[in-house]
Amino acid sequence: MTDFVMSEGLAEPADLRPAPSGERRRPVWVVPDEVPAVVPRAARFTEARWVAKYRWAALTGDLGAALFGVSLALVVRFGAQINLGYVLLGAVLPIAWLVCVALERGYETRYFGTGPEEFRSIIRAAVALTAVVAVTSYATKSQVARGFVVLAVPMTCFAAMFARWVLHRQISKRRFVGRCMRKVLVVGRNDQVMTLRRHLEERKTDGYVVVASCLPRGDAFEEPEPERLGRGEMDILKAVDEWDVEVVAVAADPELSGHSLRKLSWALEQRGVELIVSPGIVEVAGPRISIRPVAGLSLLHLERPSVSGGPHVLKNVFDRVVGCFLLLAVAPLLLVTAVLVKLTSRGPVLFRQTRVGRGGEQFQMLKFRTMVIDAEERKAELHALNQGNGVLFKLRDDPRVTRIGRYLRRFSIDELPQLVNVLRGDMSLVGPRPPLPAEVAQYAIDDARRMLVKPGLTGLWQVSGRSDLTWEESMRLDLRYADNWSIALDLLILWKTARAVLGSDGAY
């Protein structure tokens, strides 16, 4: 059994002792040849209270959503004349809805409060329930009113997604103060351990807190806080028992893989501990990663990003249709804003600026004018006061901004004319930030990948800090979107954009 050095993250175990000096051993991870029989701790096999509460809250929310959707459909479709058959159907549908959500893994503990998988399970359950109703109706030759189904299932889906969103908000607030967290033991070499530990802890809303780190003998600690370190000799399983962790996270390490990793998973399974393995691939979203059996091996496949073909056609249709509806919806606001801009300062209502789109093609981006007419001429004298990210010029209190322009920028109303660019096909509703030609001239070779997709009216940069981002952070977000975009991600960004605009964070 290979020795390793262990660093703690919360408190020091009682049996820590310094490693023997001068000892050189080959740092190979080994688990016991025979997995010992373990009597699982009750705490490990009994769900934490927050998990049980979350599951019951999810079940209650889904049931309430189904009752709401069915009741609304019955009242709207039939009014006061509801026959007994539809009353019985209305009683069965909520139960069928819960079954569909459960079959789509909507109640699995590992997905609670961790990301979009819960919402995907709700959408898949809605599709499955619609199919079940259609097939059952055809098989039994019963006539089910299409208006009832078309209204009941979507309203149930929307209500259930809203209930899950409320649950996510509540658990996120608790995790920000350190509650409802899962204790993690990180295993691997020093640099991989530090990277994985940083990624796990930088987003508290994911619910992971690292309590200990395990390294092979011979690796040195590089922790920023030496006073919190401990050194000891124990195998991985003893560390799991010592710290009573709920998750073991293995950083990419070729020497802890294959059969050794498989036996470790068996031992952790007996203890009720989850095992997660980091493949070492960064900035690649889940939809592009899949596990496929090849020649008796489970191989990780990394799909190419979608940059053309059917998905982009679907995205173009989505942009044009939704953009048209949005433009019609905000038309009164556009008219009022145009009048205010014209009456409060000299100059044109719209500001046109050359930007670079997909494939390096240039276009004229439209915005409401928020600065004085000679803003570009006065930029040189303000350059020393630049508060931007080094490449972009930004000032929180820019004297060139008009009085009405400050309000337009704060709530991003000045960006609304770009809906015209969306309809023209120059831009997308969601995408990387549209760059200036001067910015593109400073791009490195890798940075040019952001132009594989159209620039967007909003994007990850809009919901992650806007003008407060550094140049490197902005570029990283744009590249992440270009490599991993999907319609589901676009919908999520559009939802978050509304919250970011109302909060006016990073807008100036």
Side-chain angles (χ1 to χ4, degrees):
M1 199 176 302
T2 299
D3 297 335
F4 67 83
V5 182
M6 187 274 294
S7 88
E8 48 82 22
L10 294 180
E12 295 187 3
D15 62 345
L16 291 178
R17 57 187 180 276
S21 59
E23 184 178 358
R24 304 291 295 176
R25 299 186 186 180
R26 190 168 66 92
V28 179
W29 292 104
V30 179
V31 295
D33 294 331
E34 296 183 2
V35 179
V38 177
V39 178
R41 296 185 185 181
R44 293 245 177 91
F45 280 84
T46 303
E47 291 179 330
R49 284 192 299 174
W50 74 266
V51 173
K53 289 181 179 179
Y54 193 99
R55 177 177 283 110
W56 279 110
L59 282 166
T60 303
D62 290 342
L63 180 60
L67 293 174
F68 168 76
V70 168
S71 301
L72 182 63
L74 288 173
V75 172
V76 172
R77 178 64 178 82
F78 303 106
Q81 300 177 345
I82 306 175
N83 60 45
L84 180 61
Y86 280 99
V87 172
L88 295 176
L89 179 61
V92 171
L93 275 183
I95 300 175
W97 170 251
L98 295 181
V99 173
C100 288
V101 176
L103 292 176
E104 295 296 340
R105 303 184 298 179
Y107 303 120
E108 288 194 13
T109 303
R110 55 179 171 167
Y111 296 132
F112 286 174
T114 58
E117 188 60 34
E118 279 188 278
F119 298 100
R120 292 195 187 103
S121 67
I122 295 295
I123 296 175
R124 292 195 299 265
V127 175
L129 182 60
T130 304
V132 168
V133 173
V135 171
T136 304
S137 175
Y138 176 79
T140 59
K141 296 183 180 181
S142 57
Q143 298 295 326
V144 179
R146 286 172 292 181
F148 170 75
V149 178
V150 168
L151 186 59
V153 177
M155 292 308 300
T156 297
C157 179
F158 290 140
M161 291 181 72
F162 176 76
R164 291 299 179 100
W165 176 77
V166 172
L167 284 177
H168 271 246
R169 293 284 294 175
Q170 292 178 345
I171 197 171
S172 294
K173 291 179 180 179
R174 286 172 170 81
R175 284 173 172 172
F176 269 119
V177 295
R179 298 170 59 190
C180 302
M181 306 294 281
R182 307 179 73 188
K183 294 186 291 184
V184 181
L185 171 71
V186 181
V187 180
R189 294 187 177 276
N190 202 0
D191 50 349
Q192 290 95 344
V193 163
M194 295 301 105
T195 300
L196 181 56
R197 182 171 184 168
R198 184 178 69 253
H199 281 286
L200 288 176
E201 292 185 333
E202 68 182 4
R203 287 184 53 181
K204 290 186 177 181
T205 53
D206 287 340
Y208 293 104
V209 56
V210 178
V211 296
S213 301
C214 303
L215 303 103
R217 173 70 60 199
D219 278 16
F221 288 115
E222 297 178 1
E223 294 275 3
E225 299 180 12
E227 68 274 10
R228 298 178 60 198
L229 298 181
R231 295 178 183 271
E233 298 178 1
M234 58 183 73
D235 58 72
I236 298 174
L237 300 182
K238 186 175 180 182
V240 168
D241 295 333
E242 180 74 24
W243 295 97
D244 195 22
V245 299
E246 298 162 273
V247 179
V248 171
V250 178
D253 189 338
E255 293 179 349
L256 183 56
S257 60
H259 191 56
S260 296
L261 190 61
R262 186 185 183 193
K263 290 196 294 182
L264 176 62
S265 70
W266 293 341
L268 295 178
E269 179 184 354
Q270 292 185 4
R271 289 165 167 77
V273 177
E274 181 181 352
L275 174 66
I276 58 178
V277 180
S278 170
I281 302 175
V282 297
E283 304 295 349
V284 177
R288 286 186 55 203
I289 298 177
S290 61
I291 303 292
R292 303 177 198 167
V294 177
L297 301 174
S298 296
L299 301 184
L300 183 71
H301 289 252
L302 185 63
E303 309 294 345
R304 291 178 297 177
S306 176
V307 296
S308 62
H312 270 277
V313 173
L314 179 61
K315 182 177 176 67
N316 287 333
V317 172
F318 175 80
D319 287 337
R320 302 285 173 77
V321 173
V322 177
C324 183
F325 279 113
L326 289 177
L327 190 59
L328 292 175
V330 300
L333 177 60
L334 294 176
L335 181 60
V336 172
T337 303
V339 172
L340 291 175
V341 172
K342 189 65 177 178
L343 294 179
T344 55
S345 62
R346 294 186 303 108
V349 172
L350 293 177
F351 173 69
R352 292 173 170 83
Q353 190 175 44
T354 301
R355 297 292 179 112
V356 181
R358 184 183 180 191
E361 295 184 4
Q362 296 187 359
F363 66 96
Q364 294 294 309
M365 190 184 72
L366 303 177
K367 297 178 66 175
F368 279 121
R369 182 176 55 82
T370 59
M371 290 187 174
V372 295
I373 194 171
D374 60 341
E376 288 300 316
E377 289 74 11
R378 295 174 56 184
K379 180 178 178 180
E381 63 187 56
L382 299 172
H383 199 273
L385 303 176
N386 184 16
Q387 296 175 326
N389 54 28
V391 178
L392 301 179
F393 181 85
K394 290 285 184 178
L395 280 179
R396 288 187 178 273
D397 296 314
D398 197 322
R400 302 172 300 164
V401 178
T402 62
R403 184 171 54 183
I404 188 66
R406 297 188 186 280
Y407 292 98
L408 298 182
R409 288 184 166 214
R410 179 180 179 185
F411 297 103
S412 298
I413 298 175
D414 61 321
E415 311 281 354
L416 292 180
Q418 292 167 31
L419 288 170
V420 176
N421 291 115
V422 173
L423 295 182
R424 288 177 178 174
D426 300 326
M427 297 177 60
S428 175
L429 286 175
V430 182
R433 187 185 56 79
L436 293 164
E439 298 173 34
V440 177
Q442 301 182 52
Y443 281 179
I445 295 178
D446 293 341
D447 297 340
R449 286 186 59 84
R450 73 192 298 277
M451 291 188 290
L452 291 175
V453 294
K454 292 180 182 179
L457 179 64
T458 184
L460 286 175
W461 51 274
Q462 179 83 351
V463 300
S464 304
R466 301 161 87 177
S467 297
D468 292 331
L469 295 172
T470 65
W471 172 256
E472 290 75 15
E473 290 171 337
S474 177
M475 184 60 65
R476 178 173 56 85
L477 292 173
D478 286 344
L479 291 175
R480 179 191 298 174
Y481 177 83
D483 280 342
N484 302 296
W485 79 268
S486 65
I487 296 297
L489 178 61
D490 285 0
L491 292 174
L492 180 61
I493 292 174
L494 288 173
W495 168 254
K496 289 187 175 182
T497 297
R499 294 168 52 193
V501 169
L502 292 176
S504 65
D505 296 328
Y508 51 88

